[in-house]
């Protein structure tokens, strides 16, 4: 059962953001952020492909329950998934959440290859 | 014929996270025809206006991105000659036997200094579902979705762009219609082996082997608008556009497939001949070069890759 479903959704607190985001049942977190922090305001989580492939919206969940759809292993390894890392575009809250951004930038740059 | 050696992009193999979602996207939305699903799970697609058996291969995997981009040569002797030049330049070349894909002959493959696998091949059977050649109609069956006519090009992100330019121009006989040069070196190159404005492009990026986008050709600007209409109707993740590029002058819209691989559908673009000079953009004007109407870059377009 949901732990809290206030205002028609779960409350997602983003570390460093001014206000929480309310994520409706079944809604992917990134889409709630895009709706509630409209352009041109700076968004607390980066928006990229919105489809689990690019890693722009990588976050770490520090509190709460959630489910995720398939995410590219380039950006969330199995070990990282167990530690709470996820892509916001593939994450659906199952309770109120606390998250922080965890965007990595280019992850596997090879030393010396960009000279 | 006057164009010898490599002719055009022939195959792109993409990694997708969910095959059924990918098929819906590439077949129903972009409008490619499904050629076959093979025993190893890979799915083969072609655009309605392409003559050969397939041009897009989808492979289900746990990460998105590109497996390789393959160019088609005029004959096997050309592939054999390129092999010697590639090895002399210092890259290791491996063999992919005929039949690794349906209706496709032997291929050679190698990894370029940006970390991407490039392949060359000469033989692919004509499709039974290709365009008509005797008193042809413009199409046999009305095209679906975005009405993509062909696989056109891809833009790849990786390191060592200077070496990539040297390889494609000196070893594979490409020419270079356009480039972006910043004070600290070359940022991006657009290269062609034909007289399209680009067959392949690269942007300097620290992480090797990344895909920025794969592009499909549409007939005209109205079709770009129709593609945008489909994106809103079917909730396709749109990136940028409709707009125009200063570079290549193509008219365009960018979006993402269901695995986060960026797609482009575009039309227009100038004709590039080998004796034309290279157009050069500097850092003060590159915004107009990439997005001619907005005249500024956006962060996600520059940095989001698979």
């Amino acid at each position: 059962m949901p732990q809290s479903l206030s205002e028609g959704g779960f409350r997602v607190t983003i570390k460093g953001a001014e206000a929480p985001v309310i994520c409706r049942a079944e809604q992917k977190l990134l889409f709630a952020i895009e709706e509630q922090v409209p352009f041109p305001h700076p968004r607390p989580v980066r928006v990229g492909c919105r489809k689990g492939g690019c890693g722009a919206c990588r976050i770490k969940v520090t509190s709460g329950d959630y489910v995720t759809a398939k995410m590219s292993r380039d950006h969330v390894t199995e070990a990282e998934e167990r530690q709470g890392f996820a892509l916001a575009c593939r994450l659906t809250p199952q309770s109120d959440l606390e998250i922080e951004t965890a965007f990595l930038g280019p992850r596997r740059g090879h030393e010396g290859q960009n000279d | 014929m006057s164009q010898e050696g490599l002719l055009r992009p022939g195959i792109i193999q993409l990694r997708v996270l969910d095959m059924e979602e990918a098929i819906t996207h590439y077949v129903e939305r972009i409008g490619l025809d499904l050629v076959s699903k093979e025993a190893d799970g890979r799915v083969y697609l072609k655009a309605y206006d392409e003559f050969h058996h397939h041009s897009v291969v989808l492979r289900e995997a746990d990460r998105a991105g590109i497996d390789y981009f393959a160019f088609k040569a005029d004959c096997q002797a050309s592939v054999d000659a390129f092999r010697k030049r590639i090895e002399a330049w210092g890259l290791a070349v491996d063999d992919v036997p005929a039949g690794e894909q349906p209706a496709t002959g032997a291929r050679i493959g190698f990894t370029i200094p940006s970390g991407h696998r490039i392949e060359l091949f000469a033989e692919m059977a004509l499709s039974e579902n290709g365009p008509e050649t005797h008193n042809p109609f413009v199409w046999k069956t009305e095209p679906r979705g975005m009405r993509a006519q062909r696989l056109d090009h891809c833009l790849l992100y990786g390191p060592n762009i200077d070496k990539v330019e040297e390889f494609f121009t000196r070893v594979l006989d490409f020419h270079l219609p356009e480039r972006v040069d910043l004070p600290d070196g070359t940022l991006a190159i657009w290269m062609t082996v034909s007289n399209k404005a680009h067959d392949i492009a690269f942007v300097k990026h620290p992480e090797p082997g990344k895909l920025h986008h794969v592009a499909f050709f549409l007939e005209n600007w109205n079709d770009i608008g129709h593609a945008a209409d489909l994106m809103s109707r079917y909730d396709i993740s749109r990136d940028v556009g409709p707009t125009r590029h200063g570079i290549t002058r193509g008219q365009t819209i960018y979006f993402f497939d269901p695995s986060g691989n960026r797609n482009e559908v575009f039309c227009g673009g100038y004709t590039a001949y080998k004796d034309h000079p290279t157009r050069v953009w500097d850092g003060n004007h590159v915004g107009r070069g990439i997005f001619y109407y907005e005249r500024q870059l956006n962060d996600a377009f520059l940095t989001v890759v698979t």
Side-chain angles (χ1 to χ4, degrees):
Chain A
M1 288 295 289
Q3 294 171 18
S4 153
L5 203 54
S6 59
E7 302 171 53
F10 294 115
R11 179 181 296 264
V12 180
T13 306
I14 306 168
K15 186 179 178 182
E18 286 182 10
V21 166
I22 303 301
C23 195
R24 297 192 302 272
E26 309 300 316
Q27 188 179 30
K28 302 280 198 301
L29 173 58
L30 186 70
F31 295 84
I33 294 171
E34 281 201 84
E35 276 178 12
Q36 291 165 49
V37 190
F39 182 83
H41 301 287
R43 293 192 172 114
V45 174
R46 285 167 52 97
V47 177
C49 72
R50 307 184 185 89
K51 295 291 179 182
C54 78
C57 65
R58 190 172 184 271
I59 59 171
K60 184 174 188 188
V61 180
T62 52
S63 169
D65 301 323
Y66 56 94
V67 294
T68 53
K70 196 169 179 181
M71 303 175 285
S72 178
R73 289 292 179 210
D74 275 347
H75 304 292
V76 181
T77 65
E78 289 177 39
E80 289 169 341
E81 190 172 342
R82 288 192 294 272
Q83 294 161 17
F85 290 96
L87 302 181
C89 68
R90 307 295 261 189
L91 181 150
T92 308
Q94 303 288 296
S95 75
D96 288 356
L97 296 184
E98 292 178 19
I99 69 165
E100 55 192 47
T101 62
F103 174 62
L104 287 172
R107 291 196 77 179
R108 288 168 171 75
H110 290 194
E111 198 171 337
Q113 283 205 341
N114 201 31
D115 297 339
Chain B
M1 77 181 98
S2 63
Q3 189 186 347
E4 297 176 340
L6 300 181
L7 302 178
R8 59 179 175 82
I11 305 170
I12 189 168
Q13 182 165 307
L14 292 169
R15 296 188 297 271
V16 299
L17 300 178
D18 182 295
M19 186 58 79
E20 289 310 310
E21 287 183 1
I23 290 172
T24 298
H25 177 83
Y26 285 98
V27 173
E28 301 303 327
R29 306 297 172 243
I30 293 181
L32 304 181
D33 291 331
L34 200 159
V35 178
S36 67
K37 299 181 186 181
E38 297 297 323
D40 66 359
R42 283 185 293 175
V43 169
Y44 295 81
L45 309 170
K46 73 176 280 295
Y48 78 88
D49 209 30
E50 290 176 320
F51 284 103
H52 289 80
H53 183 266
H54 64 270
S55 58
V56 175
V57 184
L58 304 177
R59 180 173 74 85
E60 193 169 82
D62 66 2
R63 60 201 67 212
I66 181 172
D67 280 337
Y68 57 83
F69 197 57
F71 292 93
K72 190 168 185 299
D74 58 349
C75 62
Q76 188 59 42
S78 291
V79 174
D80 296 341
F82 279 117
R83 179 190 200 113
K84 288 180 185 152
R85 293 169 65 186
I86 294 161
E87 289 173 338
W89 196 75
L91 297 185
V93 177
D94 61 75
D95 290 281
V96 182
E100 191 269 346
Q101 300 184 2
T104 307
R107 317 197 300 273
I108 63 170
F110 43 90
T111 301
I112 59 175
S114 57
H116 299 92
R117 179 177 173 84
I118 301 294
E119 295 188 348
L120 310 181
F121 69 102
E123 299 298 329
M124 182 183 278
L126 290 170
S127 171
E128 295 173 358
N129 194 30
E132 295 173 305
T133 54
H134 191 222
N135 305 318
F137 290 100
V138 295
W139 31 253
K140 284 189 292 194
T141 306
E142 55 270 43
R144 267 185 320 283
M146 299 180 197
R147 308 191 276 251
Q149 294 186 326
R150 66 168 186 247
L151 167 67
D152 192 85
H153 66 270
C154 66
L155 170 58
L156 305 176
Y157 268 42
N160 302 313
I161 294 306
D162 295 342
K163 297 295 286 183
V164 170
E165 177 184 338
E166 178 186 310
F167 177 75
F168 273 88
T169 55
R170 293 192 196 169
V171 180
L172 298 185
D173 297 334
F174 280 60
H175 58 113
L176 201 135
E178 214 136 7
R179 65 187 307 133
V180 176
D181 286 338
L182 300 183
D184 64 347
T186 297
L187 174 70
I189 49 178
W190 284 258
M191 298 183 294
T192 182
V193 76
S194 61
N195 62 6
K196 291 157 53 196
H198 53 340
D199 287 322
I200 193 167
F202 289 87
V203 169
K204 181 168 123 179
H205 183 71
E207 192 174 10
K210 305 304 281 187
L211 173 69
H212 184 275
H213 70 263
V214 53
F216 301 93
F217 195 73
L218 304 190
E219 189 163 358
N220 58 43
W221 181 232
N222 278 348
D223 278 353
I224 304 290
H226 180 62
D229 291 343
L230 289 168
M231 289 175 209
S232 285
R233 173 62 183 84
Y234 294 106
D235 198 23
I236 294 169
S237 176
R238 186 185 61 90
D239 188 25
V240 185
T243 184
R244 184 204 273 277
H245 294 304
I247 295 166
T248 75
R249 300 189 201 145
Q251 296 160 317
T252 178
I253 183 168
Y254 287 93
F255 53 104
F256 295 98
D257 83 1
S259 306
N261 296 308
R262 190 186 279 96
N263 297 156
E264 176 186 27
V265 288
F266 91 114
C267 64
Y270 53 69
T271 303
Y273 289 94
K274 279 194 173 182
D275 62 344
H276 289 182
T278 298
R279 295 167 169 89
V280 184
W281 297 79
D282 63 43
N284 294 327
H285 300 88
V286 66
R288 175 164 58 85
I290 305 292
F291 298 125
Y292 195 70
Y293 301 149
E294 295 81 355
R295 286 171 269 167
Q296 60 183 14
L297 295 169
N298 87 43
D299 176 60
F301 187 81
L302 286 183
T303 58
V304 167
V305 291
T306 55

